[in-house]
Amino acid sequence: MGETEQRPTAGSRLGAQENAGISTLEHGQKPPVTPPGKLVSIKIQMLDDTQETFDIPQRAPGKVLHDAVCNHLNLVEGDYFGLEFPDHKKMMVWLDLLKPVMKQIRRPKHVVVKFVVKFFPPDHAQLQEELTRYLFALQVKQDLAQGRLTCNDTSTALLISHIVQSEIGDFDETIDREHLAKNKYIPHQEALEDKIMEFHRNHMGQTPAESDFQLLEIARRLEMYGIRLHPAKDREGTKINLAVANTGILVFQGHTKINAFNWAKVRKLSFKRKRFLIKLRPDVNSSFQDTLEFLMASRDFCKSFWKICVEHHAFFRLFEEPKPKPKPVLFSRGSSFRFSGRTQKQVLDYVKEGGHKKVQFERKHSKIHSIRSLTAQPSEQHTEVPKQSARAYGDNNDAAAVQSCRQGKELKASTEDTGQHKSPSLKKSPKEGRKVDGAVVSTVEEEEEPAKDRMQQNRPQSQQPSTAGSLTGSPHLSELSINSQGGPSVANMTLSPNLSPDAKQSSPLVSPLLNDPSCIRADDEEEVKRKRFPTEKSYFMAKEVATTERTYLKDLEVITSWFQSAVSKEDCMPETLKNLIFSSFEPLHKFHTGFLKEIEQRLVLWEGRSNAQIKGDYQRIGDVMLKNIQSMKQLTVHLRKHNEILMELENGIKNSRKLETFCRDFELQKVCYLPLNTFLLRPLHRLMHYKQIMERLCKHYPPSHIDFRDSRAALAEISEMVAQLHGNMIKMENFQKLHELKKDLIGMDNLVIPGREFIRLGSLSKLSGKGLQQRMFFLFNDVLLYTSRGLTASNQFKVHGHLPLYGMTMEESEEEWGVPHCLTLRGQHQSIVVAASTRAEMDKWTEDIQMAIDLAEKSSGPAPELLASSPPDNKDPLSVSDCSSLPAGLISDQRPVSISYVCWYRMQSLSFYDILQSNENQLSGNLLRKFKNSNGWQKLWVVFTNFCMFFYKSHQDNHPLASLPLLGYSLTLPSESENIHKDYVFKLHFKSHVYYFRAESEYTFERWMEVIRSATSSASRPRALSHKEPHAY
């Protein structure tokens, strides 16, 4: 019997590799000795259906053959792949890398070994090489043809359309029909050809690398992606299929998954003759027995599947390759098999360290050729991820699939030959490829890693290298760079090379910025364009009204269009709640649609783009604002309902598990880039924006100005509306924040209670027997909670304890404990010692904790019990060193990233006052962006809200393609030494990571500086706020 215990060991990072290719050895280890002697020829069938012959020594282990294939392909991430061959019983088995090849393949002349994908990661963005993604795309193509990857017709057609795009380029109906007639991607393809061509039509300008990325994005969400079924029977004799994946062991009935056993639940895997045994960890909530037993066809089948499970567990869960067991002295018991090779973490770390050369390759099936890319001097290449991720496609998502593939595909070439791309292959590529410039990823202390990158900006006669930027996230982000076709690539997903044992997905803190050559304009052209527009300050104020109104209208559409459409398809919301929400938001959307048209028409006249323009009559905005603000007062009845809407929705979620699941799933959609409740409060936030803009306009105009009277009247009207609704808005912000924190915390019973006010959250270090340990603190007007980051897929914080503020005292204790910025908090039953990262952070916490203690003393008594259970703090395994890696979770696979999560990793804190200020400091508009090591500027539509910059290709996009949380960043101006010879440029930097943004005018430059400064340096809360304006609901 063979068995494996699940005991992952904490591994250190790999040292410098002795082999620059695909070595799987630890630092200091020597490669296995390849014995000299007779050579044996082994035929290998590649993923592109070509066959190569490799000569290896007769006694060489399997690793020598595997390394030879990977070196032949110049494949850096070869550990995801394996060699598969039929054994003497015609059963397909994996080549053991430790055993001699000839002991496994008895008759090599009659056997063709297949080079295929063995380990399918949870997210293809973790594949950092374009060649690796190309090989994965070929595997998907193979699985489709062989019927292994089953899905509905829409998903199948969409997958094939991306394959066709990568092979023949942009849509042409005649060429498409000829190509589909000659190439059969699936059985009975004829029925889907029209749908394939319909999808292919929407992929214009998409490069082969981008098509690979889109293909994998769709495929990875399919239930059968990467699945190899192994027939078995359960204890009752029912026929089932077992499979193993990155998450654990799966059970299928036919092609339908009926059960899954995550690695975290599995204590031991073993086999006994034909019986495959899974021993589970004890779980009081589970109905499963302690040990599950499955019967397979034979012992060989059983052992083969057990080996695959052992390898998957080790590859995805361990930090480093498991050590070999010592040889027994007398006799052995059980199997000696172990996983051999690098784990996924080691592969990601190795690629991140950049100790390899990037090389070009050819695509055998691609008919897209580019003379330019063959003759041009090779440029530096970087890991790239194409511009847009496709959404998930289930069996009932045909319409969504069609809609998704029609969005965001307009990656157009700037010259005639951009549509022609270099043609890769699995052949060895020329050795002119240069080294990777910098690492792909960084540690948690390094947020966005800029990289040198180049992009071909083609011209009719000559080629000039331009630039594209790259960002890496916290701790890792996909780089943005060119691909081997000379086209740009833009990431929508993050990479996560630094994985914890229980979390294999990527960081949600930051998505990389966009990178589209169609957005890049020559600087001279930009200067000419700028001079054509008015230069007065009031014009740019009016333009700010228009740009922010566009964003506001899109936010309203999240409720009136996207949310309403989703609600209509699901019977999960009571009719009364539906009517309450949509009857309030639809009139607002209709009104602001007309309002935006009026503003845009006025700007057209102001800019002189209409024959109707008469100097003086249209150089103003106050009259439009006054008219619409007066009309807006009639909508106050709907604005007053937002209090009721928010509370009724939360009550509905509390009472209906189905509605709770529906709302959570809706927040996973890309269009819902903020928490759902935030969209419900947007109309109240917008009133604050109008008031702020009118105040600046009145301050700018002299009393004699033609627009002064209307502007002052509009300010008076909007100020009256704000005054009526301001108290209600503060109550709703507190209510919404408490519910948001409720989702962030586990181990709580009753966080949201009447009278509770949120005051501050942030990261502090708590002194315990183990030393200083990072904790996330949440301060309310009656209690202080301290938590740690839980190892959950939803990135929640686990509550470790709470201190009632009633009767608490606070004193500085730096000298007593020898810890800088240290405080001792003494409660009635417990005392804790905490330390802030800086003196400024300590002062903020001191001020707010003292204010909260004063509020608690004035209340009726101690706070009620909060915790479901309070585990002793000395058993908490999390220490400061745990900050070296980020937890699981992709931006596209979970609700919007909470501010608590950002504060944890940036070691920042936020007060309720900061959040109220951020609601007023929202801004939208076009900015030009430049990376530290790039030469060109790229135009992006940028929305600043919720302490974060969201990036779009244009204001018409329905969802952002990237985001950048700004907490912890510094905002400055570029120095002379940085050679930024442009006006209106500001600089964002975090440690060594620098990004430049360029505004169109002095006014917009000052506005962006103002709102971003509010996020990068949070203000102290005015002490009067909580005493004079309590916000308890």
Side-chain angles (χ1 to χ4, degrees), residues 37 39 150 156 186 362 403 441 609 614 651 692 724 928 1016:
L39 297 180
T150 57
T156 302
I186 56 170
E362 296 178 2
Q403 183 179 8
V441 294
R609 290 184 283 157
I614 302 173
N651 288 336
Q692 193 183 68
Q724 293 174 0
L928 297 178
T1016 55

Side-chain angles (χ1 to χ4, degrees), residues 76-77 127-134 351 356 358 383:
V76 176
E77 298 170 298
L127 306 174
Q128 299 175 42
E129 295 285 317
E130 182 189 330
L131 172 58
T132 312
R133 288 193 293 273
Y134 170 55
V351 179
H356 60 280
K358 292 291 182 76
T383 303

Side-chain angles (χ1 to χ4, degrees), residues 356-639:
H356 60 280
K357 291 184 178 181
K358 292 291 182 76
V359 292
Q360 297 177 342
F361 64 96
E362 296 178 2
R363 296 169 182 261
K364 178 195 170 190
H365 298 284
S366 180
K367 298 179 181 178
I368 309 171
H369 300 284
S370 172
I371 298 173
R372 179 190 70 251
S373 56
L374 294 175
T375 59
Q377 185 176 359
S379 61
E380 296 185 33
Q381 299 179 4
H382 301 273
T383 303
E384 54 78 28
V385 180
K387 63 178 177 174
Q388 179 182 353
S389 291
R391 299 295 293 161
Y393 301 103
D395 288 343
N396 298 317
N397 289 0
D398 293 10
V402 175
Q403 183 179 8
S404 175
C405 74
R406 288 177 179 170
Q407 295 172 355
K409 306 287 186 189
E410 303 86 6
L411 188 61
K412 301 266 177 145
S414 56
T415 62
E416 294 178 1
D417 63 339
T418 341
Q420 303 174 12
H421 306 288
K422 182 178 182 296
S423 207
S425 140
L426 291 178
K427 305 291 181 185
K428 285 190 177 180
S429 57
K431 296 185 179 180
E432 289 85 359
R434 300 184 183 179
K435 278 191 177 180
V436 173
D437 179 23
V440 173
V441 294
S442 60
T443 61
V444 73
E445 282 83 13
E446 300 178 275
E447 291 291 323
E448 290 82 28
E449 180 72 25
K452 296 177 183 177
D453 43 37
R454 303 175 189 269
M455 185 165 59
Q456 299 293 333
Q457 191 170 3
N458 306 305
R459 307 200 175 171
Q461 299 297 332
S462 64
Q463 302 136 16
Q464 283 213 347
S466 181
T467 57
S470 70
L471 283 175
T472 53
S474 173
H476 336 288
L477 282 186
S478 314
E479 270 193 283
L480 304 180
S481 70
I482 63 165
N483 50 45
S484 62
Q485 290 76 31
S489 55
V490 180
N492 183 29
M493 312 288 293
T494 57
L495 300 182
S496 59
N498 204 355
L499 301 174
S500 68
D502 292 296
K504 304 284 180 310
Q505 294 172 320
S506 51
S507 161
L509 283 189
V510 188
S511 292
L513 302 186
L514 312 181
N515 205 358
D516 188 345
S518 63
C519 296
I520 298 178
R521 288 198 294 265
D523 293 330
D524 293 340
E525 179 187 347
E526 183 65 30
E527 294 294 338
V528 170
K529 185 163 185 174
R530 183 179 297 168
K531 291 175 183 175
R532 291 168 48 198
F533 292 103
T535 57
E536 58 264 36
K537 192 174 181 179
S538 55
Y539 164 76
F540 291 105
M541 291 182 183
K543 195 170 182 180
E544 181 183 337
V545 176
T547 56
T548 52
E549 191 73 12
R550 287 172 184 163
T551 299
Y552 174 54
L553 204 58
K554 284 289 184 184
D555 288 348
L556 288 179
E557 287 172 4
V558 172
I559 301 298
T560 60
S561 177
W562 297 89
F563 188 61
Q564 185 172 12
S565 174
V567 166
S568 64
K569 296 175 183 176
E570 299 284 342
D571 185 21
C572 59
M573 184 180 288
E575 286 297 326
T576 53
L577 182 55
K578 284 185 193 177
N579 294 335
L580 179 64
I581 295 174
F582 303 122
S583 64
S584 297
F585 273 83
E586 284 172 350
L588 291 173
H589 181 265
K590 182 178 180 181
F591 171 80
H592 286 279
T593 300
F595 185 19
L596 177 60
K597 284 183 180 178
E598 277 195 62
I599 298 171
E600 289 177 335
Q601 288 169 359
R602 175 57 56 90
L603 286 175
V604 168
L605 296 172
W606 199 330
E607 292 164 0
R609 290 184 283 157
S610 169
N611 294 330
Q613 189 222 16
I614 302 173
K615 184 71 175 177
D617 286 351
Y618 297 103
Q619 312 294 313
R620 55 179 178 165
I621 193 65
D623 57 332
V624 177
M625 296 299 294
L626 177 60
K627 171 192 169 186
N628 284 278
I629 288 173
Q630 288 174 339
S631 301
M632 203 183 302
K633 295 184 87 172
Q634 301 173 10
L635 300 174
T636 306
V637 63
H638 299 297
L639 297 175

